[in-house]
């Protein structure tokens, strides 16, 4: 149940609440009074609903950081219903040492190097669409356990990730999930990342 007050309704002036423009309700039958009241408050409700999206549309995205935390991901993100979402397919590491043999881990580097190369490739794909890395709102990362390790190299992933997100030049962060997987299409790949961006 909404309590419509003068202060609570954006875009509705004080004159909307003045009664002299209405017929003297004391002289009207009950049914007529109820009809006028219903129409009056319905008009106020519509005015409030029309005013709210206009305020939200000025930003388009509402980013909610994790409370009391400096961990560089969002807890949640809100996007206007009419925003344009751009989904990128999974992006995999680029060769950083073409002198290393095909299939060798050294050809793509460790988890940190692979994460940085994947994000660089994503940045390039977004640029072709007139978007930037800061327009990413959702990320899913798939990490493979490096050979000889007991688990995925999450610290290495974060090393590459924080080169692109929550920096002085690029403060925006996405909501994010990170999964350890058994393997990717190339045995030397340790990282694959999918993202969703929003066109501002």
């Amino acid at each position: 149940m909404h309590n419509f007050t003068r202060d609570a309704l954006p875009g509705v002036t004080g004159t909307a609440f003045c009664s002299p423009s209405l017929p003297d309700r004391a002289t009207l039958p009950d049914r007529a009074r109820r009809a006028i009241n219903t129409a009056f408050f319905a008009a106020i409700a519509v005015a409030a609903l029309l005013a709210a999206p206009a305020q939200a549309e000025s930003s388009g995205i509402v980013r909610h950081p994790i409370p009391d935390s400096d961990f560089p991901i969002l807890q949640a993100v809100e996007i206007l219903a009419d925003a344009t979402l751009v989904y990128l397919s999974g992006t995999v590491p680029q060769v950083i040492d073409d002198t290393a043999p095909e299939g060798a881990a050294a050809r793509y580097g460790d988890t940190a190097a692979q994460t940085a190369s994947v994000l660089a490739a994503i940045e390039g794909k977004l640029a072709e669409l007139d978007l930037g890395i800061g327009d990413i709102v959702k990320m899913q990362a798939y990490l493979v356990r490096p050979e000889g390790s007991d688990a995925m190299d999450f610290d290495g992933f974060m090393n590459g990730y924080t080169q692109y997100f929550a920096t002085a030049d690029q403060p925006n962060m996405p909501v994010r999930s990170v999964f350890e997987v058994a393997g990717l299409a190339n045995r030397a790949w340790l990282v694959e990342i999918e993202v969703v961006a929003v066109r501002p």
Side-chain angles (χ1 to χ4, degrees):
M1 191 77 176
H2 293 290
N3 294 318
F4 294 111
T5 66
R6 190 171 306 185
D7 295 332
L9 298 176
V12 180
T13 64
T15 57
F17 289 85
C18 296
S19 58
S21 60
L22 296 174
D24 184 359
R25 288 177 290 178
T27 65
L28 295 173
D30 287 345
R31 183 178 295 176
R33 278 202 308 274
R34 285 196 298 271
I36 289 174
N37 288 340
T38 299
F40 178 63
F41 286 106
I44 292 172
V46 169
L49 290 173
L50 291 175
Q55 293 175 347
E57 195 168 356
S58 62
S59 62
I61 303 172
V62 180
R63 299 175 188 263
H64 299 278
I66 300 172
D68 304 317
S69 173
D70 59 359
F71 195 70
I73 65 172
L74 297 177
Q75 176 170 269
V77 61
E78 295 179 58
I79 303 168
L80 288 180
D82 60 353
T84 300
L85 296 178
V86 180
Y87 295 79
L88 264 59
S89 289
T91 301
V92 295
Q94 312 301 298
V95 173
I96 62 172
D97 182 1
D98 56 12
T99 64
E102 289 285 344
R107 192 168 175 83
Y108 300 94
D110 60 10
T111 299
Q114 291 195 22
T115 301
S117 79
V118 168
L119 291 174
I122 288 173
E123 187 173 40
K125 292 178 182 180
L126 290 172
E128 293 175 3
L129 300 170
D130 295 323
L131 294 167
I133 206 87
D135 296 317
I136 294 173
V137 291
K138 179 173 171 50
M139 174 185 292
Q140 292 188 173
Y142 305 92
L143 306 183
V144 176
R145 173 176 57 85
E147 189 174 353
S149 298
D150 295 331
M152 64 181 181
D153 181 8
F154 185 75
D155 288 342
F157 169 76
M158 288 300 294
N159 180 292
Y161 173 87
T162 53
Q163 295 177 39
Y164 288 86
F165 296 94
T167 68
D169 294 332
Q170 202 299 98
N172 288 346
M173 300 175 287
V175 294
R176 192 192 74 191
S177 300
V178 178
F179 307 91
E180 180 175 353
V181 295
L184 297 169
N186 184 320
R187 290 174 58 87
W189 292 344
L190 302 174
V191 180
E192 182 169 352
I193 297 175
E194 297 177 355
V195 299
V196 179
V198 64
R199 193 174 296 283

